[in-house]
């Protein structure tokens, strides 16, 4: 005998799953396109149906109760399974699409040049690129795969390191810089890094180089790595930038890395949720990304270390 299911209204379950994932009624409301009051109402209705409290309400904060902790993973996995099955049932004529988010510089310097190889490999596949220096919430479904720079940890995500960053001096060969003493006559170009703790700036470089007397606070400032590199290509000064992501300009002879030291940075990581990694389309994008980046960074050993 088949037992009749006695399920609460779907809207209440969706509201609870989103609120539990974000631990925020406001963020859940933004995701579902309703008001926080509507989310609160749906969750109250679900609690009434179940006869259980699912959240502990605090000032501007909510936390899951023991019952909420038990219910959340079941709903999360269920909605993920619905999403995968519905995608598999879509008509074959519908093009597959995966959204890949990365930092602005990584997108411009690695992903855009590699799009040609992606289209050749996946002619019936759409890759949507999202560039931002702010971390995107993968669990909320805002993107399928991410490339992030940093140390981690990346809780709840499947991660794979792509390559470790290296920073050094970059300038036009027209400046004729041959040693640290030449910096006294050069203009220093600065980038206002969005992650100061990971920044490889002139102050840090001078300390490592033993040049405490270098005027590290003077010179133009840029909010974008690319703009600083463009100024360096034009001969307007010397920048500290990624020796890997500046590889095209170095290979073309537009920029040189005249001397060290080199600053070892953090790593770029490829990230996805476990649910997304279960999708063949996402795994295909990840495989292409790993191969593309491996070829791009392979020539870094040719750069001088000091």
């Amino acid at each position: 005998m088949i037992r009749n299911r006695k399920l609460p209204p779907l809207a209440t379950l969706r509201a609870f799953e989103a609120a539990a994932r974000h631990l925020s009624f406001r963020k859940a409301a933004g995701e579902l396109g309703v008001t926080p009051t509507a989310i609160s109402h749906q969750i109250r209705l679900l609690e009434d149906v179940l006869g259980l409290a699912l959240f502990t309400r605090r000032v501007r904060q909510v936390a899951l109760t023991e019952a909420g902790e038990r219910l959340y993973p079941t709903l999360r996995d269920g909605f993920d399974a619905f999403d995968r099955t519905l995608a598999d049932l879509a008509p074959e004529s519908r093009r597959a699409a995966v959204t890949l988010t990365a930092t602005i510089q990584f997108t411009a310097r690695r992903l855009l040049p590699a799009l040609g190889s992606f289209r050749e490999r996946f002619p019936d596949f759409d890759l949507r690129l999202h560039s931002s220096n702010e971390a995107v919430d993968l669990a909320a479904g805002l993107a399928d795969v991410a490339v992030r720079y940093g140390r981690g940890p990346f809780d709840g995500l499947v991660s794979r390191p792509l390559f470790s960053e290296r920073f050094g001096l970059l300038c036009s060969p027209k400046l004729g810089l041959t040693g640290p003493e030449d910096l006294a006559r050069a203009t220093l170009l600065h980038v206002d890094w969005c992650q100061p703790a990971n920044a490889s700036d002139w102050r840090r470089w001078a300390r490592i180089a033993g040049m405490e007397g270098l005027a590290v606070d003077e010179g133009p400032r840029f909010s974008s790595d690319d703009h600083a590199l463009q100024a360096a290509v034009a001969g307007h000064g010397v920048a500290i930038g990624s020796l890997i992501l500046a590889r095209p300009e170095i290979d073309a002879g537009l920029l040189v890395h005249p001397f060290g030291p080199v600053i070892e940075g953090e790593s770029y990581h490829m990230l996805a949720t476990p649910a997304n990694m279960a999708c063949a389309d996402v795994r295909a994008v990840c495989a292409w990304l790993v191969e593309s980046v491996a070829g791009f960074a392979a020539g870094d050993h040719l750069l001088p270390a000091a």
Side-chain angles (χ1 to χ4, degrees):
M1 179 178 179
I2 299 177
R3 184 173 65 89
N4 292 331
R5 292 190 181 95
K6 296 181 179 179
L7 298 177
L10 178 59
T12 66
L13 298 178
R14 290 188 66 205
F16 169 77
E17 191 276 337
R21 177 158 32 87
H22 292 291
L23 287 180
S24 168
F25 288 5
R26 180 181 58 82
K27 291 182 179 179
E31 177 182 329
L32 298 180
V34 298
T35 65
T37 301
I39 293 292
S40 180
H41 173 75
Q42 292 291 346
I43 291 173
R44 287 289 188 191
L45 177 59
L46 179 60
E47 290 176 324
D48 289 343
V49 170
L50 298 178
L52 296 168
L54 300 175
F55 285 97
T56 300
R57 277 80 167 174
R58 301 167 184 165
V59 178
R60 297 183 181 179
Q61 186 180 10
V62 294
L64 288 170
T65 64
E66 182 179 352
E69 293 278 6
R70 291 182 58 187
L71 179 59
Y72 169 59
T74 300
L75 287 179
R76 177 198 61 203
D77 295 344
F79 282 126
D80 286 343
F82 294 158
D83 183 64
R84 289 194 298 271
T85 301
L86 291 173
D88 291 341
L89 292 174
E92 294 184 2
S93 60
R94 179 181 174 184
R95 294 171 64 90
V98 170
T99 299
L100 170 58
T101 180
T103 62
I104 295 172
Q105 189 182 38
F106 191 95
T107 300
R109 295 187 160 272
R110 181 58 248 145
L111 299 180
L112 292 181
L115 278 181
S117 69
F118 185 89
R119 286 194 294 268
E120 290 178 3
R121 184 166 173 177
F122 305 106
D124 298 321
F125 200 113
D126 284 333
L127 179 64
R128 298 171 181 170
L129 298 182
H130 173 272
S131 61
S132 173
N133 290 333
E134 298 293 330
V136 169
D137 188 353
L138 297 181
L142 302 180
D144 302 301
V145 186
V147 175
R148 293 182 189 166
Y149 175 75
R151 186 175 302 175
F154 305 103
D155 295 334
L157 298 175
V158 178
S159 66
R160 171 169 179 170
L162 296 174
F163 62 87
S164 295
E165 189 58 283
R166 302 175 72 219
F167 299 93
L169 303 191
L170 292 166
C171 65
S172 168
K174 297 176 182 178
L175 296 186
L177 302 186
T178 59
E181 64 280 357
D182 294 332
L183 291 175
R185 60 178 175 83
T187 299
L188 307 187
L189 307 176
H190 304 266
V191 177
D192 292 325
W193 296 76
C194 62
Q195 295 176 300
N198 295 325
S200 297
D201 57 13
W202 278 106
R203 191 176 300 279
R204 183 180 177 191
W205 185 93
R207 184 175 65 253
I208 295 173
M211 298 184 64
E212 300 297 340
L214 188 64
V216 295
D217 295 322
E218 298 179 4
R221 309 195 71 87
F222 301 86
S223 61
S224 163
D225 309 71
D226 269 342
H227 293 166
L229 289 184
Q230 290 171 19
V233 168
H236 296 315
V238 188
I240 295 179
S242 166
L243 300 179
I244 297 178
L245 297 182
R247 169 60 61 184
E249 286 85 353
I250 295 173
D251 288 346
L254 299 175
L255 289 174
V256 294
H257 171 53
F259 48 85
V262 167
I263 299 175
E264 300 296 332
E266 304 293 346
S267 295
Y268 283 93
H269 297 262
M270 179 184 69
L271 307 170
T273 64
N276 281 344
M277 285 301 292
C279 299
D281 294 342
V282 171
R283 292 198 302 272
V285 170
C286 290
W288 165 81
L289 178 62
V290 170
E291 294 173 9
S292 177
V293 168
F296 180 73
D300 185 52
H301 67 281
L302 301 175
L303 292 169

